[in-house]
Amino acid sequence: LIRHFRRLLAEFVIVDIGQNRGITAGTRLNIYRGTDYIAQVEVIQVRADISAADIKEKKTRIRVGDSVR
């Protein structure tokens, strides 16, 4: 399941996947740009169709449009 970032704010991101897709607080998601691993984030707040996630590890800057898996 791949979704895209809506925006990047400081050290957390907002992703366009939420409770409607089974996401819960504490879920860890990996971020990719194409096939390259970029970062790992942990969901801290969930709404029906969006989530906020703290950046736990990153190899390079996360960009709007990177994919969540």
Side-chain angles (χ1 to χ4, degrees):
L1 184 61
I2 300 172
R3 296 287 174 226
H4 295 281
F5 285 108
R6 286 200 171 167
R7 60 187 161 217
L8 174 65
L9 305 168
E11 290 301 309
F12 69 96
V13 293
I14 306 296
V15 296
D16 65 351
I17 183 171
Q19 289 173 331
N20 293 343
R21 301 282 187 154
I23 299 298
T24 59
T27 299
R28 289 205 174 219
L29 303 168
N30 292 319
I31 310 303
Y32 291 86
R33 186 169 305 128
T35 58
D36 296 330
Y37 172 82
I38 301 298
Q40 185 176 77
V41 298
E42 183 176 341
V43 174
I44 55 172
Q45 288 188 337
V46 185
R47 302 281 194 276
D49 59 356
I50 63 171
S51 299
D54 280 337
I55 299 168
K56 294 298 185 182
E57 169 189 292
K58 69 179 176 180
K59 291 190 171 193
T60 189
R61 185 174 168 266
I62 299 171
R63 297 180 188 163
V64 172
D66 288 343
S67 296
V68 178
R69 298 183 192 162

